[in-house]
């Protein structure tokens, strides 16, 4: 387990066994070994949970806050074995963990490592930058076997500086790994299938920068469907009265929009336009935006009708 940490983060990690905490319930101590893991002058608490220990993600989330307060440092769980649903539940609640043989989800570690470096080289790891999300989507949809960094930069229209910063951010988030051969660098996703979405979800951004209403025209209607329009085209969800389209913020179409106030216009002949932080057409298929970006446009959605349709769509998507 600790060898995997060394391999993942490329640092010499030392472990102090027998970590004792005070002020926490007995049931959170009984049967659980605790270690203080130290690396580069930084530390976190590792709590080992045995297979015999009955646990649920909600309980572990609450206990994690207690462990961290008592230890005065970040904390993570170590499991002997996890099922796919258990891993997904932990990632969904952003609960750090390590599980054999090769599952490492320590989002705080990238932040701590970066904070220990000079601020000039600091890479934010809370949320993806638009260029980072574009690179992530490119790898998910087109390059399961990995791709050269220079090829990704050419396809995405990114500069050498932008692609390097994007790949560094994805690496710090634990979502990709890089292999160098001579002067070429190849990038690989660490996870695959639906699992990569669950691991990346805490870092993904809503691609919509702002929303406007405009008169329908041929140029707008040629854009990719988004929002409820895109979801309705993929599921049994009813189409909205006002169609929704996605447009890149740098598109010439944005400057030529005939915007209107929906409160003073009838629904007929009006559409809703999402102006995106990156080009939605780059990953669109069959006239609609890609599933991962679409899911993030519904971030914090509380409409059960939409939540159900989105879950159905993501579950049936051929990852």
């Amino acid at each position: 387990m600790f060898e995997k940490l060394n391999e993942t983060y490329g640092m010499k990690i030392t472990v102090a066994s027998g970590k004792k905490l005070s002020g926490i319930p007995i049931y959170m101590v009984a049967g659980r070994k605790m270690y203080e893991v130290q690396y580069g002058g930084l530390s976190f608490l590792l709590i080992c949970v045995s297979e015999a220990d009955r646990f649920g993600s909600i309980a572990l989330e609450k206990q994690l806050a207690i462990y961290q307060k008592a230890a005065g440092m970040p904390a993570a769980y170590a499991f002997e074995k996890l099922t796919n649903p258990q891993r997904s539940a932990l990632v969904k609640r952003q609960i750090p963990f390590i599980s054999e043989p090769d599952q490492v989800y320590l989002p705080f570690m990238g932040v701590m490592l970066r904070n220990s470096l000079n601020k000039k080289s600091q890479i934010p790891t809370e949320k993806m930058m638009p260029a980072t999300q574009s690179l992530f989507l490119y790898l998910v949809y087109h390059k399961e076997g990995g791709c050269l960094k220079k090829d990704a930069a050419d396809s995405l229209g990114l500069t050498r500086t932008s692609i390097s910063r994007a790949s560094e951010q994805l690496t710090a988030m634990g979502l990709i790994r890089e292999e160098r051969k001579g002067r070429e660098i190849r990038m690989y996703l660490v996870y695959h299938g639906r699992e990569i979405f669950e691991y990346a979800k805490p870092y993904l951004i809503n691609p919509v920068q702002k929303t406007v209403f405009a008169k329908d025209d041929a140029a707008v209607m040629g854009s990719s469907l988004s929002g409820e329009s895109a979801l309705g085209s993929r599921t049994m969800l009813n189409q909205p009265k006002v169609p929704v389209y996605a447009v890149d913020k740098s598109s010439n179409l944005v400057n030529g929009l005939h915007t209107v106030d929906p409160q003073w216009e009838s629904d007929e002949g009006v559409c809703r336009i999402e102006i995106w932080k990156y080009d939605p057409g780059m990953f669109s298929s069959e006239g609609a935006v890609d599933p991962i970006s679409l899911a993030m446009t519904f971030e914090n959605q509380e409409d059960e009708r939409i939540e159900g349709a989105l879950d159905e769509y993501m579950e049936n998507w051929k990852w």
Side-chain angles (χ1 to χ4, degrees):
M1 181 179 297
F2 300 116
E3 288 78 5
K4 182 61 183 177
L5 286 177
N6 282 325
E7 177 185 335
T8 301
Y9 292 96
M11 297 183 65
K12 177 62 178 176
I13 292 175
T14 59
V15 180
S17 61
K19 179 69 175 178
K20 295 182 179 180
L21 302 178
S22 59
I24 62 175
I26 295 177
Y27 72 88
M28 289 174 55
V29 179
R32 293 182 178 179
K33 294 181 180 179
M34 285 176 256
Y35 302 89
E36 182 178 340
V37 180
Q38 302 172 340
Y39 57 101
L42 304 171
S43 303
F44 71 92
L45 180 70
L46 187 65
I47 306 109
C48 297
V49 181
S50 69
E51 281 192 89
D53 192 340
R54 289 175 168 250
F55 61 87
S57 60
I58 296 177
L60 289 177
E61 184 179 28
K62 293 179 179 178
Q63 293 174 19
L64 186 69
I66 299 174
Y67 283 124
Q68 291 181 151
K69 183 177 180 180
M73 64 181 74
Y77 294 105
F79 300 97
E80 297 173 15
K81 186 186 299 183
L82 284 175
T83 63
N84 287 335
Q86 287 172 335
R87 282 199 299 271
S88 295
L90 292 170
V91 172
K92 184 175 182 180
R93 293 187 174 276
Q94 299 185 46
I95 300 173
F97 69 88
I98 302 170
S99 178
E100 296 293 353
D102 59 358
Q103 300 294 326
V104 178
Y105 178 66
L106 300 175
F108 62 79
M109 197 163 181
V111 176
M112 293 173 69
L113 285 172
R114 292 296 174 184
N115 286 343
S116 69
L117 301 176
N118 188 291
K119 290 185 178 180
K120 290 184 180 179
S121 63
Q122 202 170 50
I123 299 296
T125 54
E126 291 79 16
K127 288 290 183 178
M128 293 185 190
M129 299 177 292
T132 303
Q133 190 147 314
S134 293
L135 175 59
F136 173 74
L137 296 174
Y138 179 75
L139 290 168
V140 170
Y141 296 132
H142 302 293
K143 299 293 180 179
E144 185 175 344
C147 72
L148 293 176
K149 185 177 289 187
K150 65 177 183 179
D151 291 343
D154 291 341
S155 297
L156 296 171
L158 297 176
T159 64
R160 180 180 298 180
T161 299
S162 294
I163 196 71
S164 295
R165 191 168 177 81
S167 64
E168 285 177 6
Q169 193 177 39
L170 290 177
T171 301
M173 290 171 174
L175 298 175
I176 70 168
R177 61 182 177 84
E178 296 184 350
E179 288 185 4
R180 179 183 290 274
K181 290 186 177 181
R183 300 180 63 180
E184 295 185 337
I185 300 175
R186 184 172 289 273
M187 300 173 292
Y188 298 89
L189 291 171
V190 175
Y191 308 100
H192 299 284
R194 175 69 184 269
E195 196 173 45
I196 185 60
F197 173 62
E198 297 299 337
Y199 275 86
K201 195 172 181 180
Y203 307 111
L204 293 169
I205 59 172
N206 184 338
V208 181
Q209 182 167 296
K210 68 176 181 177
T211 300
V212 299
F213 290 85
K215 287 288 188 180
D216 271 337
D217 60 38
V220 171
M221 295 177 69
S223 302
S224 302
L225 292 174
S226 186
E228 291 183 45
S229 293
L231 190 57
S233 70
R234 300 289 191 262
T235 67
M236 298 298 291
L237 184 72
N238 292 330
Q239 287 288 341
K241 292 181 179 179
V242 176
V244 186
Y245 298 96
V247 176
D248 181 14
K249 67 178 182 180
S250 60
S251 169
N252 292 330
L253 180 61
V254 174
N255 295 326
L257 289 175
H258 178 198
T259 59
V260 297
D261 186 339
Q263 294 182 340
W264 292 88
E265 297 280 345
S266 66
D267 291 340
E268 186 176 353
V270 173
C271 63
R272 177 179 173 180
I273 299 178
E274 297 175 345
I275 299 177
W276 279 31
K277 301 168 186 174
Y278 51 84
D279 184 3
M282 190 172 296
F283 310 107
S284 295
S285 64
E286 299 180 357
V289 299
D290 71 278
I292 292 178
S293 295
L294 178 62
M296 297 314 297
T297 67
F298 291 113
E299 188 178 27
N300 302 320
Q301 176 60 244
E302 296 182 356
D303 187 326
E304 294 182 0
R305 178 178 57 93
I306 293 177
E307 285 183 343
L310 186 59
D311 286 342
E312 175 192 343
Y313 178 38
M314 300 302 284
E315 186 67 31
N316 294 330
W317 175 261
K318 295 181 180 180
W319 297 92

